Amino acid sequence: MQYLNFDKTAVYKKLLEYSKKQVFSFKDKLNAKRVKECVIPMAAGLNYSWAAKAVDDDCIKLLGELAVEQELIAKYNALINGEVINTGENRKVLHHLLRGQQGKPVMEDGKNIGDFYLKELERFCAFASDVNQGKYKGSTGKDFSTVIQIGIGGSDLGPRALYLALENWAEANGKKKLNAKFISNVDPDDASAVIASSDLEKSLFILVSKSGTTQETLANELFVKDKLVKAGLDPSKHMAAVTSETSPLARNSAYLDSFYIDDYIGGRYSSSSAVGGCVLSLAFGPDVFKDFLKGAAEADKLALNEDIFKNAALFDALIGVWESNFLNYPYTAVLPYSQALSRFPAHLQQMDMESNGKRVNRRGEAIDYTTGPVIFGEPGTNGQHSFFQLLHQGTSIVPLQFIGFTESQKSDDVSVDNSVSQTKLNANLAAQIVAFAKGQDSSDKNKEFPGGRPSSLIYGKQLTPAALGSLLAHYENKVMFQGFIWNVNSFDQEGVQLGKILTKKVLSGDFGDDALETYSKLLGV
């Protein structure tokens, strides 16, 4: 198995030559037949539609050759079988193992890592059940009604997005156990607002820091503990921790319990671990979280298929590379037509940009081709009344990734003007796909839409826990495949470290740089 720079592959030159010809115009070819045929089944009843993408049979054939030449499925197999894939930190990458064994057992020092993950899953699920049954109570003897997660980055974005995605579904299906809130920003206004809106006597805090030294998280922990003490409460009866076994938070009497992850689980890929599982199990019950894991595991299995027409994550990754490297589209908009997915684009923003926002390859050598795109997005229809103007009529073409469901999560819809709100929502989604693709001619140039804006659509019946797991794993695997294509290490994040180092200098007073010192003084540090 070889790890080649993308531009050193034989198919790169073929794709480059092909892109110099007239690119396939889906604007003229998008019809009922294409929409019906260009669909790939995903896990948990979802589907991936690529009908409105600028790819024809010849282009797809070349992209299939790229998947073979870059040995994408073989590299995925190497990852799930425990090879060291994170070259920057010399680590395995095992977030797939959190939701079920897809490859061989992964062993280290005689320890089955999958068994360790399973044990932790059962431990935090048991803890959640005990809390939900009132076996744990706050320091004044009251049952917990709210769980508040303290974390930042991957310890916040994914779990928060997933909680919001399932909150309405859980309420509609009688699965809601606790309200969940999140504190992430070291800005004291964040923690203060959450605390002010919560009944501290009935609040359980989950402190999430793998190292146990994350500056912002520990600062917020101290903020919260101060509030608890001032309210006459014992913080040790209101806090649990998610961390590594070697961190100062582990086996610490300051917490009701500690649940463990290891260095093989990257922060942005940790929602399947106790980082996401603890808060979701507390909020909705362990069975809901396990259904989420099943959807993700099913998606992971489908991502092993070498047939790109049966592997939605791989197909999506290949088209993304075509758009980024050969059509020169540097952005991607993620547009869920589901309010439940309001924070999902923010999670994908971190996952994608922190993973593949790299300028050196796996060996630390500079590369001179485009890697990860800029990711942004908001739910429809809000986005239509915001940035869609640029997407429709701006000078830049931005590939679009729509997500939609035929049913809402709750049944309390209202019919107005002969249609319910969910029907109006999906009418807007269908209209936008076609409007972006086909555009509109007009003698008035202000009303002319050029069209030719490529989009994909992930759709299904309803956003359930299993569907959410499928959706999350789809994007995780898409990012992984693209990292393999570009030959970058998708599993470290050195780009976040320099700012942390300089922050410590500022706080210690040892600036070492006059500009840093002057900016700090301007900001009252």
Side-chain angles (χ1 to χ4, degrees):
M1 193 164 61
Q2 297 185 79
Y3 286 90
L4 293 175
N5 277 6
F6 183 31
D7 59 356
K8 300 303 179 186
T9 62
V11 74
Y12 178 87
K13 298 178 181 62
K14 295 181 184 179
L15 283 163
L16 195 60
E17 288 301 313
Y18 186 80
S19 69
K20 293 176 181 177
K21 302 176 183 178
Q22 183 174 355
V23 175
F24 173 73
S25 177
F26 61 95
K27 176 179 179 178
D28 303 321
K29 302 293 192 300
L30 188 61
N31 55 30
K33 182 174 184 293
R34 184 172 171 89
V35 173
K36 290 175 182 177
E37 291 179 350
C38 297
V39 178
I40 301 174
M42 294 169 59
L46 299 183
N47 297 277
Y48 172 79
S49 168
W50 50 276
K53 286 292 190 181
V55 290
D56 59 8
D57 291 344
D58 291 335
C59 182
I60 292 170
K61 181 175 182 294
L62 291 174
L63 293 174
E65 290 179 21
L66 172 61
V68 173
E69 186 173 3
Q70 284 292 62
E71 302 176 282
L72 301 185
I73 302 301
K75 288 170 182 173
Y76 177 27
N77 270 303
L79 182 150
I80 61 177
N81 288 328
E83 290 192 21
V84 174
I85 299 297
N86 180 349
T87 51
E89 298 170 306
N90 195 35
R91 292 173 180 169
K92 297 174 173 61
V93 176
L94 298 180
H95 54 274
H96 298 84
L97 189 55
L98 292 164
R99 50 235 193 184
Q101 189 77 47
Q102 298 291 346
K104 298 179 293 188
V106 179
M107 308 294 294
E108 185 163 289
D109 299 328
K111 172 183 174 182
N112 186 316
I113 299 176
D115 287 347
F116 166 68
Y117 292 163
L118 183 59
K119 176 185 174 184
E120 290 306 307
L121 169 64
E122 295 305 330
R123 283 209 314 118
F124 68 71
C125 283
F127 174 76
S129 293
D130 286 346
V131 171
N132 293 154
Q133 293 168 20
K135 293 180 181 179
Y136 285 96
K137 298 181 185 294
S139 53
T140 59
K142 294 183 178 180
D143 290 340
F144 293 113
S145 61
T146 302
V147 55
I148 302 173
Q149 181 132 317
I150 305 172
I152 196 167
S155 300
D156 168 73
L157 287 165
R160 189 193 296 250
L162 300 184
Y163 170 77
L164 293 174
L166 294 178
E167 185 177 22
N168 277 343
W169 178 90
E171 288 179 351
N173 289 275
K175 299 291 186 179
K176 184 75 175 291
K177 310 292 184 182
L178 300 179
N179 292 314
K181 301 179 182 181
F182 298 83
I183 298 172
S184 58
N185 201 334
V186 74
D187 181 342
D189 287 345
D190 184 15
S192 182
V194 173
I195 295 299
S197 67
S198 305
D199 183 345
L200 290 181
E201 288 184 88
K202 298 180 180 181
S203 295
L204 172 63
F205 294 86
I206 307 295
L207 183 71
V208 184
S209 172
K210 183 163 59 178
S211 67
T213 60
T214 310
Q215 182 194 84
E216 296 94 334
T217 300
L218 295 185
N220 279 325
E221 179 192 20
L222 294 176
F223 185 100
V224 167
K225 283 184 172 178
D226 180 69
K227 296 292 186 182
L228 289 168
V229 169
K230 287 178 178 176
L233 303 173
D234 178 358
S236 69
K237 294 186 180 298
H238 290 262
M239 282 196 167
V242 175
T243 189
S244 68
E245 290 187 287
T246 57
S247 97
L249 308 182
R251 301 172 189 84
N252 190 319
S253 61
Y255 309 103
L256 291 168
D257 208 338
S258 298
F259 306 102
Y260 304 119
I261 56 174
D262 57 27
D263 285 337
Y264 305 138
I265 306 301
R268 58 197 175 277
Y269 297 103
S270 65
S271 291
S272 303
S273 74
V275 171
C278 197
V279 66
L280 293 177
S281 296
L282 284 161
F284 308 131
D287 289 346
V288 170
F289 181 65
K290 289 180 179 179
D291 284 345
F292 161 80
L293 293 181
K294 288 177 184 176
E298 185 185 345
D300 292 339
K301 186 175 181 180
L302 290 176
L304 288 165
N305 199 316
E306 294 185 357
D307 183 348
I308 66 173
F309 290 103
K310 296 178 180 178
N311 188 335
L314 179 56
F315 200 97
D316 196 4
L318 291 166
I319 291 183
V321 169
W322 166 246
E323 291 172 335
S324 180
N325 293 88
F326 301 101
L327 301 185
N328 300 313
Y329 302 155
Y331 312 102
T332 297
V334 179
L335 308 169
Y337 273 61
S338 167
Q339 187 61 28
L341 293 172
S342 61
R343 291 296 291 167
F344 196 65
H347 173 54
L348 297 187
Q349 188 176 62
Q350 184 203 15
M351 183 200 300
D352 201 318
M353 295 173 70
E354 197 167 84
S355 294
N356 290 337
K358 307 291 172 64
R359 59 186 295 277
V360 298
N361 66 14
R362 288 164 48 85
R363 297 181 296 273
E365 302 162 343
I367 52 180
D368 56 6
Y369 48 83
T370 297
T371 56
V374 174
I375 304 293
F376 68 97
E378 283 289 330
T381 58
N382 296 42
Q384 293 176 201
H385 297 267
S386 175
F387 53 83
F388 274 35
Q389 167 64 45
L390 183 147
L391 300 182
H392 276 294
Q393 292 183 308
T395 55
S396 298
I397 293 180
V398 178
L400 316 164
Q401 297 211 306
F402 291 104
I403 304 169
F405 303 93
T406 57
E407 295 182 2
S408 60
Q409 291 180 315
K410 286 190 170 183
S411 58
D412 57 342
D413 207 344
V414 177
S415 180
V416 178
D417 294 334
N418 300 315
S419 63
V420 296
S421 296
Q422 184 69 24
T423 300
K424 292 180 175 67
L425 177 71
N426 288 338
N428 273 275
L429 173 50
Q432 289 297 325
I433 294 171
V434 174
F436 278 117
K438 296 190 175 184
Q440 171 182 277
D441 294 329
S442 176
S443 58
D444 181 347
K445 294 304 178 183
N446 285 315
K447 297 181 180 179
E448 183 175 87
F449 290 69
R453 268 57 175 167
S455 68
S456 63
L457 170 66
I458 292 175
Y459 65 96
K461 183 178 179 181
Q462 189 184 64
L463 183 58
T464 63
L468 182 62
S470 170
L471 191 63
L472 180 77
H474 171 88
Y475 280 101
E476 288 182 349
N477 293 326
K478 172 192 174 181
V479 169
M480 172 192 69
F481 285 134
Q482 289 183 330
F484 287 150
I485 291 170
W486 290 317
N487 197 31
V488 298
N489 177 14
S490 301
F491 305 105
D492 67 0
Q493 55 284 331
E494 291 301 323
V496 306
Q497 299 304 321
L498 179 58
K500 291 181 179 181
I501 293 169
L502 294 182
T503 297
K504 289 180 179 179
K505 286 181 175 291
V506 171
L507 293 175
S508 71
D510 181 21
F511 298 96
D513 183 288
D514 60 352
L516 181 63
E517 182 174 4
T518 304
Y519 273 118
S520 299
K521 290 179 178 178
L522 282 175
L523 294 166
V525 180

